[in-house]
Amino acid sequence: TYAAGYAMFALRRHGRLTPRRVGVAAGAVVLGALVLVALDAATGGSNHVTHALGSDLPSELAHRWRVSFDGATHSVGAFIMFASGIALLAAVSRVRPRPALVDAMLVAVVVSFVVNDTPQDVALWGALGAIALLALERSRVG
């Protein structure tokens, strides 16, 4: 999640976003994550990421997304957190011009939706973080 955000920040700060540059950055992020998991496994580490990559990854992702759906819909409060976070993220994504730091945060939040299983937390706290970064960037002098 962090690597994806940092990669987007680097891309935005250093030139145009092109499909090729985004693809290379995404590949580097995935490769870096796989290297870290491989190092963890090689040194005897054992966690849910190592187990997920060592087993049936598509079914593991499907399971996590099902758990995510259940988490976002298990109560009215959880759904309100999720829906309000999504609405705020959509509002932030429509801001023009959007600072590079905010784009990086938005990309990290999207990746977090894919790999984490608490979408209500990701949506609400990610949105509040993106709003804070937007305020920070707009308050800078000069």
Side-chain angles (χ1 to χ4, degrees):
T1 301
Y2 284 104
Y6 287 130
M8 174 55 95
F9 186 65
L11 287 173
R12 282 285 320 273
R13 297 288 291 184
H14 302 289
R16 289 186 29 222
L17 289 179
T18 65
R20 181 175 185 272
R21 291 181 75 213
V22 170
V24 168
V29 168
V30 169
L31 182 62
L34 291 174
V35 166
L36 287 176
V37 170
L39 284 172
D40 181 51
T43 58
S46 176
N47 61 52
H48 69 280
V49 175
T50 306
H51 289 296
L53 291 176
S55 64
D56 183 19
L57 184 59
S59 67
E60 181 66 26
L61 283 174
H63 169 72
R64 291 183 70 77
W65 292 339
R66 192 171 43 259
V67 169
S68 292
F69 177 80
D70 292 343
T73 59
H74 81 277
S75 71
V76 172
F79 183 74
I80 289 171
M81 282 177 65
F82 176 72
S84 60
I86 292 295
L88 290 169
L89 285 166
V92 170
S93 73
R94 294 179 53 89
V95 169
R96 299 291 186 267
R98 197 172 46 243
L101 195 55
V102 174
D103 271 355
M105 178 71 173
L106 292 173
V107 166
V109 168
V110 167
V111 170
S112 190
F113 276 126
V114 173
V115 300
N116 290 307
D117 58 8
T118 54
Q120 64 277 16
D121 294 333
V122 171
L124 184 61
W125 296 110
L128 294 175
I131 290 168
L133 287 175
L134 182 60
L136 175 72
E137 289 293 307
R138 289 212 166 161
S139 69
R140 292 182 189 231
V141 177

